[in-house]
Amino acid sequence: MNQEYLEFVKALRPIDDIFMKVIFNDPRCIKLLFHIIFEEDISITKWHIQDEYRNLHGRTVIMDIVASTENGNIIDVEMERSLKNASPLRARFHASILDSSLSYVNEKWEKLPEIYVIFICEKDVLETNRLKNHIQRYGEDGEAFEDKVHIIDVNANKEDEIPLGKLMHDLRCENHEDMYDEVLKERVRYFKQKEGVKKIMCDMMEK
């Protein structure tokens, strides 16, 4: 195994793109992520990691995690390290491209699913100094505009003692021993310490 790659694997964190791809391709980790963000158990029927979506003009976007729930909701989770890639306008684009891929000819509008676009960013994108911001549309009268689209921004740089704050801490850990959650800790340990799996990670980086 390439020693340079092994050092790189050692420094990877769950929030890093190449590592997120393998860590969250596991139902226990997906269930944990959604349970903590939504503060309730979310029943997932299927999910995809880093799938490509394309609009009619040929613009493509790779979505980190897209999951369908038992009640028909669609959840997109993006883990980003830079402010530029976590722009509110990118969240808008993700919601729109999901809508276009989920709507069929002659289908009634009310059949469009509830969509959640969640950005977990290493920096405070909205500069609110809050751990989580839930954004949706409201009318001038303060009533919610029921378009069934929700954008959730999570500041991974802010830690506290609640489950979401501890999860943000874990996503930024290089060493599994420093993590709070046992499920994530075991998954990270598996990919960083098991010899055969470390070779798989090295092969992924070479590709």
Side-chain angles (χ1 to χ4, degrees), residues 18-131:
I18 193 171
F19 208 36
M20 176 282 303
K21 188 175 178 178
V22 295
I23 295 299
F24 287 97
N25 197 15
D26 180 299
R28 298 171 305 155
C29 294
I30 292 284
K31 183 177 180 180
L32 169 74
L33 181 69
F34 290 165
H35 174 75
I36 291 177
I37 290 174
F38 290 99
E39 300 180 46
E40 61 179 290
D41 287 331
I42 304 293
S43 181
I44 302 299
T45 55
K46 61 181 179 179
W47 79 94
H48 302 279
I49 304 291
Q50 293 199 324
D51 262 7
E52 181 181 282
Y53 290 76
R54 184 188 302 270
N55 70 12
L56 291 174
H57 302 288
R59 181 165 190 176
T60 61
V61 64
I62 305 294
M63 296 194 184
D64 286 346
I65 303 169
V66 177
S68 304
T69 71
E70 194 172 54
N71 59 4
N73 295 347
I74 304 296
I75 304 170
D76 165 34
V77 179
E78 302 298 318
M79 296 196 190
E80 296 294 346
R81 299 180 59 186
S82 72
L83 289 170
K84 181 179 71 173
N85 287 336
S87 160
L89 295 177
R90 186 170 172 214
R92 165 185 158 179
F93 182 73
H94 278 227
S96 68
I97 208 164
L98 284 171
D99 261 342
S100 65
S101 68
L102 295 166
S103 183
Y104 300 95
V105 175
N106 297 325
E107 188 175 54
K108 295 184 182 299
W109 295 118
E110 56 267 25
K111 292 292 186 181
L112 282 171
E114 201 98 8
I115 288 179
Y116 292 84
V117 177
I118 302 169
F119 273 79
I120 299 172
C121 189
E122 199 165 8
K123 297 181 173 62
D124 186 3
V125 178
L126 302 182
E127 299 182 344
T128 63
N129 199 34
R130 288 199 294 267
L131 182 57

Side-chain angles (χ1 to χ4, degrees), residues 3 24 51 54 99 111 140 148 160 172 199 204:
Q3 188 59 38
F24 287 97
D51 262 7
R54 184 188 302 270
D99 261 342
K111 292 292 186 181
E140 292 181 359
K148 299 168 76 171
D160 58 29
R172 293 167 46 240
K199 184 178 186 309
M204 283 177 61

Side-chain angles (χ1 to χ4, degrees), residues 84-194:
K84 181 179 71 173
N85 287 336
S87 160
L89 295 177
R90 186 170 172 214
R92 165 185 158 179
F93 182 73
H94 278 227
S96 68
I97 208 164
L98 284 171
D99 261 342
S100 65
S101 68
L102 295 166
S103 183
Y104 300 95
V105 175
N106 297 325
E107 188 175 54
K108 295 184 182 299
W109 295 118
E110 56 267 25
K111 292 292 186 181
L112 282 171
E114 201 98 8
I115 288 179
Y116 292 84
V117 177
I118 302 169
F119 273 79
I120 299 172
C121 189
E122 199 165 8
K123 297 181 173 62
D124 186 3
V125 178
L126 302 182
E127 299 182 344
T128 63
N129 199 34
R130 288 199 294 267
L131 182 57
K132 181 170 77 170
N133 297 275
H134 185 170
I135 300 104
Q136 60 188 85
R137 291 188 178 98
Y138 287 86
E140 292 181 359
D141 57 2
E143 293 293 320
F145 183 64
E146 301 292 346
D147 61 353
K148 299 168 76 171
V149 175
H150 309 264
I151 295 170
I152 297 175
D153 177 86
V154 186
N155 177 10
N157 199 39
K158 190 173 181 64
E159 302 175 17
D160 58 29
E161 292 304 307
I162 66 171
L164 184 59
K166 290 182 176 180
L167 176 63
M168 294 304 104
H169 166 272
D170 287 358
L171 291 181
R172 293 167 46 240
C173 278
E174 293 180 10
N175 187 345
H176 67 279
E177 294 294 347
D178 296 331
M179 292 181 163
Y180 290 107
D181 188 85
E182 293 299 327
V183 171
L184 273 181
K185 181 185 291 189
E186 174 56 28
R187 186 76 171 158
V188 170
R189 186 202 66 76
Y190 176 73
F191 279 98
K192 288 202 177 196
Q193 293 191 347
K194 196 173 178 65

